Amino acid sequence: MIPAAFEYARASSVEEAAKLLNKYGEDAKVLAGGHSLIPLMRLRLAQPKALVDINGIKGLDQIKEQGSKLHIGALTRHVTIQNSAVVKDKLPILAEVAGEVGDNQVRNMGTIGGVVAHADAAGDYPTIALMLDAEIVTNQRTIAAKDFFKDLFTTPLAADEIVTEIVFPVANGPHKYIKFRRRLFDWAIVGAAAQKMNGGWRIGLTNVGPTPVRAKAVEEALHSGAKPEDAAQHASDGLNPSGDLRASPEYKKHLARVLTKRAIEQAG
Amino acid sequence: MAVTTMIGAKIHRREDPRLVSGEGRYIDDFTRPGTVYLSVVRSPHAHALIKSVDITAASKAPGVVAIYTHKDFAKVISGTMPAAPAFVAEKKQIPPRFPIAEKEVVYQGEPVAVVLTEAKYQSMDAANLIEVEYEPLPAVMDLEQALEAKSPKAHSGAPDNLGWDLTYIPEDANVMKEADVVVKQRILQQRLAPTPMEPRGVLAEYSRPDQSMTIWMSSQNPHFIRLFLAGALGIPETRIRVISPDVGGGFGSKISPYSEDYLVPAAAKLSGRPVKWIETRTESIQTTTHGRGQYFDVEAGAKKDGTLVALKVTQYLDIGAYVGTFGAFQACACLLSTGAYNWKHVSARTVGILTNRVPTDPYRGAGRPEATHLCERMIDLLADALHMDPAEIRRKNFITEFPHTSHFGLVYDSGAYEKAMDMAMEIAGYEKLRREQAEGRKKGRYLGIGVSAWIEICGFGPSAATAPATGGVALVESAQVRVFPTGSVTVYVGTHSHGQGHDTTFPQIVADTLGVPYDMIELRHGDTAEGPAFGYGTYGSRSLAVGGMAVHKASMKVVNKAKKLAAHLFEAAEEDVVFDQGHFYVKGSPDKRKALGEIAFASFGAGLPEGMEHGLEAVAYYDPSNFVWPFGTHIAVVEVDAETGAVDLQRYIAVDDCGNIINPMIVDGQIHGGIAQGISQALYEEVVYDDETGQLKTGTMIDYLVPTMNEFPNFELGRTITPSPTNELGVKGIGEAGTIASSIAVINAVCDALAPFGIKHVDMPASPDRLWKQIKQAREHSNGGKEARK
Amino acid sequence: MKHKVATTVNGHKHEHEVEPRLLLVHYLRDVVGLTGTHIGCDTSQCGACTILVDGKAIKSCTMFAVQAEGRSLTTIEGMAKDGELHPLQQAFWDEHGLQCGYCTPGFIMAAAYLLEQNPNPTEDEIRRGLEGNLCRCTGYVNIVKSVQSAAKTMGGVKSQPAGQPAARRG
């Protein structure tokens, strides 16, 4: 399958990238890891008139701890996050999630900024970002995760706006991400994340709606002393997932409850 | 006498050095000077009328050399695509199929136009600019509804959707009354996409001065393609050459001729340029023939003590929009439905139904996985109804005397079914597994053990049976052995390996038969310009039993001639000459021996015996006297997570018997691969269409679930060897055996795991969402309707 | 508009002008002329197109040639040295790790990366390490054996017993 023709430009700085995106307008797309974009282009489901390649921009792939925050550069590849000693120490759930994205080849190219900007409901990082109140930093502003994932594939990013880093809180208490899928390299049918922090729990869900979900009802139930099994029953509160080839809406809601229970029980 | 040294040896494959170096030559690796690239414009609708085809915009696209539609191809292609009788000699209707649609499209993906461009990338751009106006028509999707009088027709002009309705053995309503228990089940065999890693491709070049056509393509049987194309293109077989180089898997999907196999050569003729087309994966899932696509209504009855009484089988087969060339082959599921057992009575009927989908055709096992699946499922259902252990009921009813003539008149050549099952049970540790299962159930863990005692028919096949089935060409096999003056040997065989290692195994046979060193023997196959006039291809686990025997027969002709010449040279009587390990000598004088190579050289000289021609070579066609009948027992061990419905396949044991073995490493490899595909059908794969619109929903590998190596355990293999009396080598086939056994081993295991819920049957694929739903319904049912908590 | 692309492929320098949309796999096959890297799907699942880009295993169907500017690429044709097969190639041969051979180059490249990252993988680590490569012929049993055999030859310490199977379904 061959993509439609497009113009191509490499940016060596964020400013240059923004300028190029401005030049090409709405019809341009950022090329980072390309592992969400290029498959869509090969199927001609996306036909951008221009690609702005940002892989050459230096300094966008740093991992830094500052205070109680962990800054992950947008161009950081999944494999780097997976293997990073800093991430494993300060926010281990993120390293584990990174290690479950796609397969080894995908992890060598795919970037956290790309996954977050793509805002696929089946993406794993958005769930963690939302659950932990991360911040998405762009070349124009900082956007709270809860304001970032508007709808499926929909974010508030402007045409010339580029994600530069994502800022997470440090959290290295009990945690678990359970990604339920058929084959090891598939997207999640449903995913459930549990992170104990600041004396309470954060619970996030993948692929149970058009955007990631933070299961506040579960968090509150746990806070009130409910057992994991009982608290997890609230995981499906307010959910209205769409059905697909792998799962009916009912099954997704059921999985949300079961996987949430297991994530809490297995968090270590 | 020759001492066998190569046969039975684990010889590493000759094919491998080039394949591991990236020097395999697959169809997309070929090009010719001046090649243009072809893209196919395909119907997006399952069923529609073509109102107009507008090529104006496309004609102006960069690099366009030509655009062809039906009216162009009608000038160079005549007749319709073939549909063999196979196992249904008389069909009610065979919709005529031209390689490209004219007025009506009847399956999503059917070709409507083709565009040729100078550069590869341009062809998809240009194809996207061709505007076709369609008037969608109702799509026939459901098999049961398709047979109703009020159903729309898959083809507008057709009287109905019935392709065939054939009763092999009529039902006798009284026989089931002899049974103490009767079980009934509808069993689904979902459509599968064979998904060889290499999609299809065709490159064709027409020489105007010679009026000859050369075609390179990824095919399991190039000679058959030459035969079909000769008729269609009006070019004699003598001027068509089909070359099938390295083939990246076939599994049955590269047997029958496809639209593109006609369109690409025809386009080469029309345009005067070499034309190349390579299938994308999406085209492959959409338009390469599908496997299975059936459901069965089965009834089985047995006595209290487990003696099998009667089996009633009705097969409903989804033909697709056209009858696949071998689409009626899978009706043999009926003929093998009695499996490894003695049944007092059987009745079987097959109904073929036309739908608006791509045709079904052979896919690894082709009817025999379906037969094994239904038979072994019914055996388990009977065992359950009788509270008998599944192994016990099998032992009680195994066929033990051979040759055995089945109800359908087929003669099983040899078997030792219980011995294979005993070995499988031992490797599995069956008793221990049952104890673990009992313990697990107390703790809310659901382990399942599934047995599959399989047999199958392969080695297609004897001329009396196969010639009528193909429409006149018996599926014998040909080989030519040529010894050169220097004593090296080239062997041509009409089969065509696509992963099975013939480059290695056939020379093993020749080495032992001729006593010539293995390294002096070259195998050639896959090019119709070489070797005997016809070759029959690789499918149906036939290459060794039929092709290997042809090679052996041709080699023996060479030995016999060499012996005559040797006797002449020794001035001895032929009966006094011994042939041993590649050397001839007069009885009693082994030190004065001559190697076959010396005899070969002599055959090119002077002083040959009266009446003997020069040279040392022979052609042989081998017509087997029977099919061959491998068998075995597989055992699957699963654990079902009752909360999520996920199946964990923990162990897989396989004991298989394919008679004498040429290369055990290759045999094991075939079994591994076959097992993986059957497991994948049981748990993962399914071609899914939208019921209303007929749109394909599983059009990529994102949704068509071919598993990774993380979805399988290691396979634990055992072996028994029961030679075949059917051929001199004592060999049977093994290429499909793994697939024939495995889907039901897994499904029986899942059903066994879920038995505590009262679940009696599970259909394929047993995906988590489906199992969860079944478990939930079973729990609600047993709770007296109370909503299940989990 | 064409772009100049300069790469090093298996140690040899190449410079071409290509369309931006030219996929890296087509660049290798049709422009550089190395047909050992294969295409088996449309959606980046099958891994038959796996090569090494600056030593990292990448699916070359999911990258544009222009992205490979200045990079060092290794394909299956670059694995043998001075006529001697790479231990992985030898191991696949020894252990019957291939049948039709179409997926094999991609597997060998992915396995080369795996063993470079983890010279002594357990069976589970091998299976996880090669999750991005599909095979339809072998059932994977002998592919795992091939990688284990190569690991031994390449100096990895004797493989440890298999760890817990990957918990992927929760």
Side-chain angles (χ1 to χ4, degrees):
Chain A
M1 288 296 202
I2 312 304
F6 55 86
E7 286 181 55
Y8 172 80
R10 288 187 200 110
S12 50
S13 70
V14 173
E15 295 69 38
E16 193 184 352
K19 241 204 291 222
L20 286 165
L21 288 169
N22 254 318
K23 172 181 164 197
Y24 292 116
E26 284 294 327
D27 288 329
K29 281 217 149 289
V30 170
L31 177 63
H35 276 55
S36 300
L37 179 63
I38 296 178
L40 288 175
M41 290 176 69
R42 290 185 65 199
L43 295 173
R44 301 210 177 189
L45 295 173
Q47 298 191 40
K49 292 285 184 294
L51 289 191
V52 177
D53 185 342
I54 64 168
N55 286 287
I57 299 178
K58 302 245 184 296
L60 277 190
D61 59 354
Q62 307 294 300
I63 298 175
K64 280 193 298 263
E65 188 205 349
Q66 272 168 6
S68 59
K69 297 280 185 201
L70 192 61
H71 296 248
I72 317 264
L75 266 184
T76 314
R77 314 281 168 182
H78 306 316
V79 67
T80 308
I81 298 173
Q82 176 187 4
N83 294 328
S84 158
V86 174
V87 179
K88 284 199 250 196
D89 183 36
K90 300 298 174 186
L91 189 61
I93 193 174
L94 192 68
E96 285 157 31
V97 166
E100 302 231 65
V101 175
D103 54 51
N104 294 275
Q105 291 96 315
V106 170
R107 292 193 281 275
N108 280 335
M109 282 297 278
T111 66
I112 186 169
V115 170
V116 165
H118 189 53
D120 185 352
D124 305 297
Y125 291 135
T127 302
I128 306 302
L130 179 68
M131 176 177 93
L132 299 180
D133 281 322
E135 290 179 315
I136 289 100
V137 180
T138 77
N139 58 329
Q140 293 176 9
R141 53 187 163 151
T142 298
I143 308 170
K146 67 173 166 48
D147 299 322
F148 189 81
F149 302 104
K150 295 238 156 267
D151 205 339
L152 183 63
F153 303 128
T154 313
T155 71
L157 292 174
D160 61 349
E161 194 172 3
I162 301 163
V163 178
T164 56
E165 71 174 5
I166 298 138
V167 184
F168 293 91
V170 164
N172 54 11
H175 61 275
K176 181 78 182 173
Y177 183 58
I178 297 181
K179 182 171 175 172
F180 187 86
R181 69 270 211 195
R182 297 302 321 276
R183 301 171 298 184
L184 191 59
F185 66 9
D186 285 342
W187 283 268
I189 296 175
V190 169
Q195 174 76 58
K196 194 124 194 265
M197 59 188 287
N198 303 335
W201 285 92
R202 302 290 183 99
I203 309 291
L205 294 168
T206 305
N207 210 17
V208 292
T211 63
V213 168
R214 183 167 162 192
K216 288 226 168 96
V218 177
E219 295 175 10
E220 280 155 21
L222 288 169
H223 188 69
S224 327
K227 286 193 300 234
E229 187 168 349
D230 297 324
Q233 293 311 301
H234 293 282
S236 51
D237 287 2
L239 289 186
N240 194 14
S242 56
D244 56 40
L245 279 169
R246 312 255 207 292
S248 65
E250 200 191 10
Y251 183 57
K252 283 191 186 177
K253 291 201 283 197
H254 168 76
L255 280 179
R257 297 189 289 267
V258 171
L259 300 179
T260 297
K261 174 191 72 160
R262 292 182 181 182
I264 300 165
E265 284 171 347
Q266 293 173 28
Chain B
M1 79 200 156
V3 171
T4 299
T5 51
M6 298 298 289
I7 286 179
K10 178 188 159 175
I11 306 291
H12 293 102
R13 298 195 335 166
R14 276 185 179 169
E15 301 85 324
D16 289 0
R18 73 170 187 280
L19 297 178
V20 300
S21 303
E23 292 187 22
R25 287 285 169 259
Y26 302 91
I27 181 59
D28 196 17
D29 302 334
F30 288 81
T31 190
R32 296 289 299 155
T35 295
V36 294
Y37 297 88
L38 184 146
S39 267
V40 182
V41 175
R42 301 182 183 277
S43 166
H45 302 286
H47 193 191
L49 295 175
I50 300 171
K51 305 301 281 178
S52 65
V53 180
D54 186 352
I55 64 170
T56 325
S59 308
K60 301 189 196 125
V64 170
V65 168
I67 299 175
Y68 300 131
T69 60
H70 181 275
K71 65 167 170 31
D72 303 294
F73 286 111
K75 294 184 210 143
V76 289
I77 301 175
S78 62
T80 55
M81 290 166 70
F87 286 103
V88 181
E90 273 198 41
K91 299 184 180 61
K92 295 257 175 345
Q93 59 177 311
I94 301 174
R97 182 180 189 187
F98 194 76
I100 188 165
E102 187 187 4
K103 298 201 180 94
E104 185 177 352
V105 285
V106 287
Y107 67 93
Q108 187 184 33
E110 185 166 13
V112 172
V114 307
V115 62
L116 278 56
T117 56
E118 294 286 358
K120 179 155 69 182
Y121 276 34
Q122 293 166 332
S123 68
M124 193 173 169
D125 297 337
N128 281 350
L129 293 173
I130 294 179
E131 289 168 32
V132 185
E133 204 195 317
Y134 295 98
E135 182 188 309
L137 295 173
V140 176
M141 285 286 138
D142 183 276
L143 293 184
E144 274 185 294
Q145 288 170 23
L147 289 178
E148 289 166 13
K150 59 178 164 64
S151 169
K153 312 292 179 282
H155 289 257
S156 297
D160 53 37
N161 296 312
L162 186 65
W164 67 72
D165 187 341
L166 175 66
T167 296
Y168 291 112
I169 299 177
E171 191 197 347
D172 176 346
N174 293 316
V175 303
M176 213 52 87
K177 298 180 189 144
E178 297 173 30
D180 295 322
V181 290
V182 176
V183 291
K184 287 192 200 180
Q185 189 60 55
R186 173 164 286 193
I187 299 172
L188 178 67
Q189 284 279 342
Q190 77 276 37
R191 269 188 177 237
L192 301 175
T195 321
M197 289 316 298
E198 184 206 20
R200 293 183 295 122
V202 187
L203 167 65
E205 184 170 22
Y206 183 68
S207 163
R208 286 215 167 117
D210 298 335
Q211 294 177 65
S212 70
M213 180 77 73
T214 307
I215 299 158
W216 294 259
M217 60 182 288
S218 192
S219 171
Q220 295 173 232
N221 38 238
H223 297 81
F224 271 110
I225 301 297
R226 182 184 65 180
L227 178 62
F228 298 134
L229 290 181
L233 298 174
I235 305 175
E237 281 173 276
T238 48
R239 293 208 298 271
I240 297 183
R241 178 179 181 188
V242 179
I243 302 165
S244 188
D246 287 321
V247 175
F251 313 117
S253 70
K254 293 177 179 173
I255 295 172
S256 298
Y258 285 85
S259 289
E260 296 84 6
D261 304 344
Y262 297 84
L263 298 178
V264 173
K269 196 163 181 218
L270 286 168
S271 68
R273 302 279 296 270
V275 177
K276 183 172 177 182
W277 168 80
I278 301 294
E279 189 182 51
T280 67
R281 180 57 63 191
T282 302
E283 284 179 302
S284 176
I285 300 176
Q286 192 185 66
T287 69
T288 290
T289 53
H290 291 163
R292 317 291 185 256
Q294 301 146 46
Y295 72 89
F296 293 84
D297 281 334
V298 193
E299 250 180 81
K303 291 269 187 233
K304 285 205 274 291
D305 69 353
T307 307
L308 298 174
V309 171
L311 180 68
K312 174 180 164 194
V313 177
T314 312
Q315 175 192 50
Y316 297 93
L317 188 148
D318 176 358
I319 294 172
Y322 296 104
V323 180
T325 305
F326 292 101
F329 188 95
Q330 284 69 249
C332 72
C334 295
L335 307 178
L336 270 283
S337 57
T338 47
Y341 312 101
N342 288 306
W343 293 80
K344 194 156 171 226
H345 307 283
V346 64
S347 71
R349 169 182 169 222
T350 174
V351 179
I353 303 157
L354 293 161
T355 61
N356 290 113
R357 286 186 274 249
V358 72
T360 52
D361 223 24
Y363 166 57
R364 202 162 195 170
R368 290 97 78 212
E370 296 91 314
T372 306
H373 195 100
L374 75 87
C375 183
E376 291 298 283
R377 192 81 272 279
M378 301 316 283
I379 295 290
D380 264 22
L381 285 171
L382 286 171
D384 177 63
L386 293 167
H387 309 290
M388 265 183 96
D389 180 87
E392 275 322 295
I393 191 173
R394 286 168 168 86
R395 280 185 214 288
K396 198 174 175 63
N397 292 283
F398 274 146
I399 297 163
T400 52
E401 307 211 346
F402 297 89
H404 168 88
T405 304
S406 80
H407 291 268
F408 299 96
L410 297 164
V411 179
Y412 304 1
D413 61 0
S414 69
Y417 303 154
E418 190 165 1
K419 187 165 152 208
M421 191 167 82
D422 287 341
M423 186 185 284
M425 294 270 158
E426 192 179 318
I427 295 173
Y430 187 74
E431 304 302 327
K432 181 160 178 261
L433 287 170
R434 284 290 176 210
R435 285 196 297 274
E436 282 171 19
Q437 180 182 49
E439 282 304 308
R441 280 177 178 167
K442 293 183 198 147
K443 299 181 191 138
R445 291 186 64 184
Y446 301 98
L447 264 69
I449 303 146
V451 177
S452 168
W454 66 276
I455 70 160
E456 81 122 340
I457 177 177
C458 65
F460 296 90
S463 56
T466 54
T470 66
V473 177
L475 297 179
V476 302
E477 196 47 79
S478 66
Q480 179 180 30
V481 173
R482 302 161 75 186
V483 188
F484 292 84
T486 51
S488 54
V489 181
T490 298
V491 181
Y492 303 84
V493 69
T495 53
H496 189 39
S497 190
H498 42 280
Q500 297 89 337
H502 298 171
D503 287 5
T504 307
T505 52
F506 286 177
Q508 284 178 260
I509 296 170
V510 175
D512 274 7
T513 311
L514 296 183
V516 168
Y518 177 72
D519 292 328
M520 288 178 73
I521 305 164
E522 176 88 6
L523 184 82
R524 307 284 308 165
H525 56 129
D527 183 344
T528 60
E530 301 180 358
F534 208 78
Y536 302 81
T538 289
Y539 42 78
S541 307
R542 68 188 303 272
S543 296
L544 183 56
V546 193
M549 279 307 301
V551 165
H552 178 71
K553 191 171 173 185
S555 302
M556 284 311 299
K557 283 189 183 178
V558 162
V559 169
N560 292 340
K561 177 171 182 180
K563 195 174 193 197
K564 279 196 175 63
L565 179 53
H568 178 77
L569 294 173
F570 285 133
E571 294 177 356
E574 213 189 308
E575 53 268 26
D576 291 334
V577 174
V578 175
F579 178 59
D580 181 32
Q581 298 188 71
H583 289 82
F584 296 95
Y585 57 87
V586 180
K587 267 189 211 147
S589 305
D591 45 308
K592 291 206 183 79
R593 57 191 200 161
K594 288 184 187 296
L596 187 100
E598 290 179 72
I599 306 296
F601 187 73
S603 77
F604 289 94
L608 299 181
E610 183 79 36
M612 179 183 282
E613 292 179 12
H614 284 74
L616 189 58
E617 56 194 79
V619 170
Y621 282 77
Y622 173 74
D623 183 358
S625 57
N626 189 3
F627 302 96
V628 287
W629 302 81
F631 60 91
T633 294
H634 290 204
I635 298 177
V637 181
V638 305
E639 181 167 356
V640 180
D641 179 338
E643 277 194 308
T644 63
V647 174
D648 180 20
L649 176 60
Q650 294 182 341
R651 288 179 67 198
Y652 194 94
I653 294 100
V655 173
D656 299 297
D657 190 318
C658 58
N660 287 338
I661 289 188
I662 305 300
N663 188 322
M665 181 186 78
I666 287 186
V667 167
D668 287 351
Q670 291 300 304
I671 294 170
H672 292 156
I675 290 171
Q677 290 189 332
I679 291 171
S680 189
Q681 176 178 11
L683 297 175
Y684 292 94
E685 292 175 50
E686 185 181 15
V687 181
V688 180
Y689 294 88
D690 182 290
D691 288 330
E692 288 289 316
T693 64
Q695 291 292 301
L696 177 65
K697 290 164 91 164
T698 52
T700 70
M701 278 186 169
I702 296 174
D703 296 313
Y704 190 76
L705 304 179
V706 171
T708 76
M709 59 167 65
N710 294 276
E711 282 72 64
F712 298 106
N714 270 313
F715 307 137
E716 304 164 55
L717 301 193
R719 184 169 0 261
T720 62
I721 296 183
T722 310
S724 169
T726 303
N727 59 64
E728 228 175 278
L729 293 172
V731 299
K732 301 185 180 180
I734 196 68
E736 293 160 288
T739 305
I740 286 165
S742 52
S743 65
I744 191 55
V746 175
I747 291 300
N748 275 350
V750 173
C751 291
D752 186 55
L754 298 179
F757 294 97
I759 290 171
K760 297 285 178 201
H761 180 72
V762 161
D763 267 324
M764 302 186 286
S767 55
D769 53 320
R770 286 191 172 121
L771 288 188
W772 170 73
K773 197 166 163 190
Q774 267 187 277
I775 294 169
K776 183 163 174 287
Q777 283 168 353
R779 277 179 158 146
E780 282 167 6
H781 191 258
S782 68
N783 280 347
K786 253 169 62 173
E787 175 80 31
R789 178 152 194 264
K790 288 182 189 182
Chain C
M1 204 189 97
K2 292 215 170 174
H3 279 251
K4 209 177 269 174
V5 170
T7 61
T8 306
V9 184
N10 300 330
H12 300 286
K13 290 201 189 310
H14 294 272
E15 202 173 291
H16 293 97
E17 294 228 337
V18 303
E19 279 186 278
R21 65 173 172 164
L22 181 68
L23 297 171
L24 183 57
V25 64
H26 285 136
Y27 171 74
L28 291 167
R29 291 180 55 81
D30 302 331
V31 177
V32 179
L34 296 170
T35 58
T37 305
H38 299 143
I39 299 171
C41 76
D42 301 333
T43 46
S44 315
Q45 258 77 45
C46 79
C49 65
T50 303
I51 64 166
L52 301 181
V53 178
D54 290 338
K56 295 202 172 77
I58 307 272
K59 293 184 175 179
S60 62
C61 72
T62 317
M63 204 169 147
F64 295 113
V66 288
Q67 292 175 264
E69 164 69 22
R71 314 286 211 128
S72 174
L73 311 179
T74 313
T75 70
I76 186 68
E77 292 91 342
M79 295 301 281
K81 289 282 184 283
D82 301 320
E84 272 212 31
L85 293 177
H86 185 278
L88 272 166
Q89 292 172 305
Q90 185 66 47
F92 270 75
W93 188 8
D94 290 340
E95 300 293 335
H96 191 35
L98 63 148
Q99 290 179 26
C100 82
Y102 195 76
C103 72
T104 307
F107 262 104
I108 289 176
M109 303 315 291
Y113 174 71
L114 164 66
L115 291 180
E116 200 256 322
Q117 299 290 305
N118 182 358
N120 182 24
T122 62
E123 179 178 336
D124 188 56
E125 285 166 345
I126 290 173
R127 286 181 182 263
R128 297 207 109 203
L130 297 177
E131 62 174 320
N133 291 71
L134 298 179
C135 172
R136 238 351 209 175
C137 291
T138 66
Y140 300 113
V141 176
N142 288 347
I143 292 179
V144 172
K145 284 206 185 107
S146 301
V147 178
Q148 287 170 326
S149 166
K152 271 207 194 98
T153 308
M154 287 163 71
V157 171
K158 235 173 76 165
S159 284
Q160 297 149 22
Q164 285 297 309
R168 62 187 167 281
R169 296 190 214 84

